Amino acid sequence: QKEVEQNSGPLSVPEGAIASLNCTYSDRGSQSFFWYRQYSGKSPELIMFIYSNGDKEDGRFTAQLNKASQYVSLLIRDSQPSDSATYLCAVRKGAQKLVFGQGTRLTINP
Amino acid sequence: NAGVMQNPRHLVRRRGQEARLRCSPMKGHSHVYWYRQLPEEGLKFMVYLQKENIIDESGMPKERFSAEFPKEGPSILRIQQVVRGDSAAYFCASSGEGVGSPLHFGNGTRLTVT
C-alpha cells in the first residue's frame, strides 16, 4: 500500500464548477497535511496546509481533513482555467520528511 | 529574493561525469530536503539535512549519490558517474523550525545525461 494515494486523473471540470481532489494516507501517526500545485515544467507551490480535523478555507480553496478515515481533500470553488495543473497531496509525521502522492492532473474546461 | 535558490537550472552531463546541484535555503530556514521527479511522476524523497547533519537519507541510492549541508554555504547534491537513468528534475526544499512547518521549493535543476 502506498503511503499517500491520489487518483492520477486526469480530472476534467467545467469552468465555474467545483473541483474536488482526494487523497488517502496509510500512516495513522501523520500529523500535518499539505496541498501543492505544480504547473507543467515548474516547481511545486504550496496552496494550503491543515493540521486539525474539519475544514480550512482560504479564498476559493477549502481543505478538508478526516483523520479517522485517513482522508484529506481539496475543493476549488469557481474553477478557472488557470487552475489547470497537477495537484500534489503531501503528508508529514512530526518533523520528518514530506511524503507526496503521485498527483492528480486537473483540467478546467472553458 | 528570499526564496529557495537552486543552481544550475539546467545541467547536461555525459555518462560517467559528475553532477553537482546546489541549493540555498530560504532565509531563516535550517532544514533542507532533496526530491527527484521523473516526467509524469510524483516527487520522490531523497534526503533531509540540517546544518552539518544528515537526518534522513532513506530515499537516497546507496551508490553514487551523496549530499551535504555544510556550516557555511549551500547544500550540495552530488551524483558521481552519472547514467541516463539519473536524468530527472531535482528539487530542493527548505522549511523552518516547528513541527508541521511547510516546505518551500526551489525552481529545480533539470539534469540531462547524454
Side-chain angles (χ1 to χ4, degrees):
Chain A
Q1 182 187 11
K2 290 183 181 177
E3 289 185 75
V4 181
E5 293 212 54
Q6 296 180 253
N7 187 327
S8 60
L11 176 65
S12 192
V13 171
E15 184 175 358
I18 296 175
S20 178
L21 301 154
N22 305 314
C23 174
T24 59
Y25 59 95
S26 60
D27 189 343
R28 284 198 172 273
S30 299
Q31 296 168 293
S32 46
F33 307 86
F34 304 83
W35 283 99
Y36 286 81
R37 177 176 62 198
Q38 187 176 27
Y39 293 111
S40 182
K42 302 294 184 183
S43 62
E45 55 180 321
L46 180 68
I47 299 176
M48 290 190 71
F49 53 89
I50 186 168
Y51 305 141
S52 305
N53 274 330
D55 294 2
K56 180 182 178 183
E57 188 174 317
D58 183 1
R60 295 187 296 111
F61 298 95
T62 299
Q64 299 175 316
L65 174 62
N66 184 327
K67 289 186 178 180
S69 301
Q70 296 174 243
Y71 176 91
V72 58
S73 65
L74 179 71
L75 301 178
I76 307 174
R77 288 183 299 282
D78 187 24
S79 298
Q80 304 296 310
S82 59
D83 295 327
S84 298
T86 296
Y87 288 80
L88 300 165
C89 171
V91 171
R92 193 175 194 190
K93 185 173 176 179
Q96 298 175 15
K97 65 195 179 197
L98 212 57
V99 179
F100 284 85
Q102 71 270 32
T104 298
R105 197 186 317 165
L106 174 66
T107 301
I108 307 299
N109 300 311
Chain B
N1 187 343
V4 179
M5 302 299 293
Q6 286 189 252
N7 66 80
R9 291 292 301 274
H10 300 274
L11 182 61
V12 179
R13 285 287 178 266
R14 291 199 193 96
R15 279 180 296 170
Q17 291 185 318
E18 178 179 286
R20 280 193 177 219
L21 288 63
R22 294 176 184 76
C23 170
S24 295
M26 191 177 280
K27 189 174 181 180
H29 285 186
S30 59
H31 302 256
V32 166
Y33 309 78
W34 286 93
Y35 287 81
R36 176 164 63 178
Q37 188 175 40
L38 295 169
E40 307 302 321
E41 292 190 13
L43 288 155
K44 301 298 184 189
F45 169 78
M46 298 182 74
V47 63
Y48 163 31
L49 310 104
Q50 292 180 26
K51 282 287 187 183
E52 299 184 279
N53 287 306
I54 296 175
I55 307 301
D56 181 350
E57 56 181 348
S58 58
M60 192 92 100
K62 293 288 185 281
E63 297 178 352
R64 303 187 298 109
F65 286 73
S66 63
E68 63 176 6
F69 189 16
K71 189 176 179 181
E72 301 290 339
S75 175
I76 306 285
L77 178 68
R78 185 207 280 186
I79 312 172
Q80 296 178 298
Q81 299 172 359
V82 296
V83 300
R84 288 226 172 97
D86 297 332
S87 296
Y90 292 83
F91 290 101
C92 170
S94 71
S95 72
E97 300 299 329
V99 171
S101 294
L103 272 60
H104 297 270
F105 282 84
N107 288 326
T109 294
R110 271 80 180 166
L111 172 66
T112 302
V113 179
T114 61

